[in-house]
């Protein structure tokens, strides 16, 4: 027997409630019945005295002892009277038993009146009630009342218990048993008994069935969601593990949390490094460690993705630098640390392709020198770097003498050989910081950075002219000497922008052309002839 079952709890509750009612009601009705019975006995004594009052009064008035004795004997025969005495004045004229006063035994006194004069007292009738018998009768009556009430209460409690069990406890137990046999999600439902249609048991059964339906729907949705999550997890795990892009998570700016295989292939790190609690990822992977750390911090602060191209410490084939395009995105923040997700793609080939494209865009294909666009950029950079009063730089505009003759006489291949030879000589005669460019068919331009004084520029121009005295083999066994006409303009004396500097250098060059060629001239706005020449 399960003492925690609802039936046992209800039975015990009803029994205890009935017991409490019986105790309280029995106590109350016992006291009430006892007092009532006691009063009835006392009232019987007084009625008995009133019955013999007239006879006792006559006996006291005439002093007839025989009559008085008959009265007290008659009273004493009653079981509720233990003794009786009739007195006339101070004389006892009739007595039966002895009067003994105690705390619980108090005599009852009746005043005897003159039969002919109601105002005159002729004696007293004193009766000692049988209190023990009166109390016994009162207790018996009270006990009988209490027992009857207790029996009624027990019967009512039993009936209540039977009704509660039949109408409430038993249906609930059956409902609980049926519910216990149902597995949520299997489609099972509880049938409502016909007698409970419309009552609380039927309503509870309907609510349970509705709840079972809701649980079944939720379980089905959960199963579908779990299957979808598993599919997505499988898909994303495949993407994460099989992706050619390196995917990784960092915490606190540099601590590596996890990464896929592509990340280790790109960076050259070993996978066991993943277990190290304080891997210095930034300095271990990136050549531009400060730029990478700044980008990660920027993603953490702004909460938005940021990307850039970064160089790796590990070099590729032939010692080439390796480039990756990195995207850093905030992946999660807590009070202790912030997590950043990184994705990197190998863009080495793209970077070198861009570099080659840039070189092609800024380099003369034939000679390998800078082209016109590159010179424009170099002009602007030199001007931007110099402030007022800083060192000058020089612009040398060179036009080849006899180039058209060689090109027309020996063909374009011979002309190309001349251009390549001139380019090599010019490159060797200037510093690496100077710019040598081919800006036209047979036109070259030199930017001499930090030109210093005018004498230095003149010496360099003369060295260039002297170097051209060495013949160039335009065809096998055929040598030709190619001269030069050089015009020179100085920054900032002859111009503060590329256009004016080139224009003035061009004017100086044409002065050389008109005066005999194979010379150099420095622009002089006050003279039509060259300011300085050399052979």
């Amino acid at each position: 027997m399960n003492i925690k079952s609802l039936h046992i709890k209800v039975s015990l509750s009803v029994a205890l409630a009935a017991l409490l009612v019986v105790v309280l009601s029995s106590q109350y009705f016992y006291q009430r019945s006892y007092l009532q019975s006691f009063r009835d006995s006392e009232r019987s004594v007084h009625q008995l005295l009133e019955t013999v009052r007239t006879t006792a009064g006559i006996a006291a008035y005439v002093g007839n002892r025989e009559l008085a004795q008959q009265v007290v004997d008659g009273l004493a025969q009653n079981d509720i009277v233990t003794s009786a005495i009739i007195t006339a004045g101070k004389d006892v004229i009739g007595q039966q038993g002895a009067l003994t006063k105690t705390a619980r035994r108090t005599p009852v006194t009746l005043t005897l009146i003159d039969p002919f004069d109601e105002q005159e007292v002729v004696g007293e009738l004193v009766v000692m009630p049988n209190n023990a018998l009166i109390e016994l009768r009162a207790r018996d009556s009270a006990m009988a009342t209490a027992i009857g009430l207790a029996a009624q209460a027990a019967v009512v409690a039993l009936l209540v218990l039977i009704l509660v069990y039949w109408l409430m406890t038993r249906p609930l137990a059956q409902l609980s048993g049926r519910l216990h046999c149902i597995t949520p999600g299997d489609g099972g439902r509880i049938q409502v008994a016909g007698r409970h249609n419309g009552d609380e048991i039927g309503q509870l059964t309907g609510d349970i069935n509705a709840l079972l339906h809701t649980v079944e729907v939720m379980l089905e949705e959960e199963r579908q969601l779990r299957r979808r999550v598993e599919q997505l997890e499988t898909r994303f795990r495949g993407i994460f593990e099989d992706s050619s892009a390196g995917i990784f998570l960092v915490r606190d700016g540099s601590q590596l949390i996890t990464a896929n295989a592509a990340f280790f292939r790109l960076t050259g790190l070993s996978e066991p490094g993943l277990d190290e609690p304080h891997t210095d990822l930034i300095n271990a992977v990136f050549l531009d460690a400060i730029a990478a750390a700044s980008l990660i911090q920027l993603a953490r602060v702004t909460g938005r993705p940021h990307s850039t191209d970064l160089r790796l410490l590990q070099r590729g084939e032939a010692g080439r630098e390796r480039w990756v395009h990195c995207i850093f995105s905030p992946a999660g923040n807590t009070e202790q640390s912030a997590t950043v997700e990184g994705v990197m793609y190998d863009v080495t080939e793209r970077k070198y392709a861009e570099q080659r494209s840039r070189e092609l865009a800024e380099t003369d294909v034939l000679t390998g020198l800078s082209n016109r666009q590159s010179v424009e950029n170099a002009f602007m950079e030199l001007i931007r770097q110099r402030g007022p009063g800083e060192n000058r730089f020089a612009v040398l505009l060179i036009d080849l003498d006899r180039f058209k003759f060689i090109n027309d006489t020996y063909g374009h291949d011979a002309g190309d050989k001349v251009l390549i030879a001139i380019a090599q000589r010019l490159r060797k005669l200037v510093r690496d910081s100077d710019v040598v460019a081919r800006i036209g068919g047979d036109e070259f331009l030199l930017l001499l950075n930090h030109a210093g004084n005018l004498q230095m520029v003149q010496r360099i121009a003369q060295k260039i002219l002297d170097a051209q005295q060495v013949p160039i083999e335009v065809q096998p066994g055929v040598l030709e000497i190619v001269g030069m006409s050089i015009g020179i303009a100085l920054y900032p004396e002859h111009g503060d922008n590329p256009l004016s500097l080139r224009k003035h250098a061009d004017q100086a060059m044409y002065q050389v052309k008109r005066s005999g060629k194979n010379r150099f001239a420095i622009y002089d706005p006050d003279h039509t002839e060259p300011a300085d020449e050399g052979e």
Side-chain angles (χ1 to χ4, degrees):
M1 182 177 61
N2 185 9
I3 61 173
K4 292 184 178 181
S5 67
L6 183 62
H7 175 63
I8 298 300
K9 290 181 179 180
V10 171
S11 300
L12 291 177
S13 300
V14 171
L16 290 175
L19 179 62
L20 180 62
V21 170
V22 166
V23 170
L24 294 177
S25 60
S26 297
Q27 181 69 19
Y28 172 75
F29 284 107
Y30 178 85
Q31 294 293 335
R32 185 174 179 178
S33 178
Y34 177 84
L35 293 175
Q36 185 65 36
S37 178
F38 200 84
R39 291 192 189 96
D40 291 344
S41 297
E42 288 183 342
R43 190 164 44 253
S44 298
V45 171
H46 284 284
Q47 290 175 352
L48 183 63
L49 293 179
E50 289 295 333
T51 302
V52 299
R53 182 173 187 169
T54 302
T55 304
I58 294 173
Y61 177 75
V62 297
N64 188 338
R65 293 180 177 273
E66 291 181 1
L67 182 60
Q69 189 63 39
Q70 288 178 0
V71 170
V72 297
D73 288 343
L75 291 173
Q77 289 179 0
N78 198 304
D79 55 359
I80 60 174
V81 176
T82 58
S83 60
I85 298 176
I86 297 177
T87 60
K90 294 183 178 180
D91 296 332
V92 176
I93 60 175
Q95 181 176 357
Q96 178 64 40
L99 294 178
T100 304
K101 294 182 179 180
T102 64
R104 298 182 61 185
R105 294 170 61 88
T106 302
V108 178
T109 302
L110 179 67
T111 301
L112 301 177
I113 307 299
D114 186 343
F116 305 105
D117 186 2
E118 294 181 356
Q119 300 297 324
E120 183 178 356
V121 177
V122 294
E124 289 182 344
L125 173 60
V126 181
V127 176
M128 181 64 69
N130 189 353
N131 289 332
L133 180 61
I134 293 173
E135 289 180 0
L136 179 61
R137 288 179 177 178
R139 283 196 300 270
D140 291 343
S141 177
M143 185 61 67
T145 302
I147 292 174
L149 289 174
Q152 292 178 3
V155 171
V156 171
L158 181 60
L159 291 175
V160 169
L161 184 61
I162 293 173
L163 291 175
V164 168
Y165 172 75
W166 186 258
L167 297 177
M168 184 181 298
T169 307
R170 183 171 176 269
L172 288 177
Q174 293 175 347
L175 180 61
S176 175
R178 297 192 192 104
L179 180 61
H180 185 72
C181 296
I182 294 177
T183 301
D186 63 356
R189 297 293 185 270
I190 301 175
Q191 298 298 324
V192 182
R195 64 178 182 276
H196 293 300
N197 284 328
D199 63 6
E200 287 78 1
I201 300 296
Q203 184 178 356
L204 177 61
T205 304
D207 292 341
I208 292 175
N209 287 334
L211 181 60
L212 287 173
H213 175 71
T214 302
V215 170
E216 186 175 352
V217 172
M218 293 178 64
L219 287 175
E220 182 60 28
E221 291 178 352
E222 183 180 355
R223 293 190 190 101
Q224 295 178 0
L225 181 61
R226 188 181 298 113
R227 286 195 296 268
R228 185 176 179 184
V229 169
E230 291 174 353
Q231 293 172 356
L232 290 175
E233 182 179 345
T234 303
R235 185 181 306 170
F236 286 120
R237 185 184 297 113
I239 294 174
F240 180 78
E241 295 176 353
D242 302 333
S243 174
S244 59
I247 304 173
F248 58 97
L249 289 176
V250 291
R251 181 170 50 230
D252 299 329
S254 187
Q255 182 180 346
L256 181 63
I257 301 174
T258 186
N260 65 352
F263 170 81
F264 294 106
R265 287 196 303 270
L266 287 172
T267 60
L269 294 180
S270 57
E271 292 201 31
L274 188 62
D275 297 330
E276 298 177 8
H278 299 290
T279 301
D280 190 359
L281 176 69
I282 303 303
N283 292 316
V285 172
F286 299 104
L287 184 63
D288 306 315
I290 296 178
S294 300
L295 208 64
I296 291 175
Q297 180 65 20
L298 189 61
R300 291 173 56 186
V301 172
T302 62
R304 294 184 291 105
H306 293 274
S307 61
T308 190
D309 293 337
L310 296 171
R311 291 177 295 174
L312 297 177
L313 282 174
Q314 185 191 31
R315 289 184 172 270
E317 298 178 358
R320 292 199 311 171
E321 288 185 338
R322 298 188 64 192
W323 287 82
V324 290
H325 181 72
C326 290
I327 304 173
F328 296 104
S329 307
N333 292 284
T334 62
E335 295 181 357
Q336 293 76 20
S337 63
T339 303
V340 175
E341 177 189 16
V343 179
M344 60 170 58
Y345 305 88
D346 190 344
V347 293
T348 303
E349 294 303 323
R350 189 200 75 189
K351 295 295 288 187
Y352 280 97
E354 290 175 354
Q355 181 179 347
R356 287 193 296 270
S357 298
R358 189 164 50 251
E359 290 174 353
L360 290 174
E362 297 179 354
T363 304
D364 180 62
V365 178
L366 178 62
T367 63
L369 300 179
S370 299
N371 60 13
R372 183 181 293 273
Q373 180 62 43
S374 180
V375 167
E376 292 290 336
N377 296 334
F379 257 121
M380 298 307 297
E381 183 65 20
L382 286 174
I383 294 173
R384 186 185 63 82
Q385 290 175 354
R386 281 165 171 74
E390 293 193 10
N391 293 336
R392 65 163 65 96
F393 67 85
V395 179
L396 281 68
L397 188 61
I398 302 172
D399 186 79
L400 300 184
D401 300 332
R402 299 183 71 246
F403 177 77
K404 187 176 185 302
F405 168 77
I406 294 172
N407 200 50
D408 292 342
T409 303
Y410 301 106
H412 292 296
D413 290 341
D416 290 345
K417 288 182 179 181
V418 171
L419 293 174
I420 293 172
I422 295 297
Q424 292 174 349
R425 291 174 182 180
L426 291 175
R427 185 71 267 175
K428 291 177 181 179
L429 291 171
V430 296
R431 296 162 299 187
D432 292 339
S433 60
D434 299 328
V435 177
V436 182
R438 180 190 174 206
I439 60 174
D442 61 343
E443 287 187 334
F444 294 85
L445 187 143
L446 274 65
L447 293 178
L448 302 181
N449 191 9
H450 301 295
N453 53 45
L454 184 60
Q455 290 74 19
M456 185 190 76
V457 176
Q458 292 173 338
R459 286 196 302 270
I460 294 174
Q462 189 59 53
K463 285 172 59 177
I464 294 172
L465 289 174
D466 293 342
Q468 304 316 309
Q469 301 306 310
V470 178
I472 300 172
E473 186 179 19
V474 296
Q475 285 184 352
V478 179
L479 300 177
E480 290 286 349
I481 295 176
V482 180
M484 289 183 177
S485 297
I486 303 174
I488 302 172
L490 301 175
Y491 173 89
E493 292 93 327
H494 303 148
D496 59 358
N497 61 79
L499 181 61
S500 62
L501 289 170
R502 283 199 308 272
K503 176 181 177 182
H504 294 155
D506 188 63
Q507 291 176 356
M509 182 191 68
Y510 275 100
Q511 289 177 3
V512 174
K513 289 281 189 183
R514 290 193 296 269
S515 63
K517 302 181 180 180
N518 201 32
R519 295 171 181 269
F520 70 84
I522 298 175
Y523 172 72
D524 186 352
D526 298 329
H527 299 85
T528 57
E529 296 298 328
D532 190 10
E533 297 181 358
E535 295 186 6

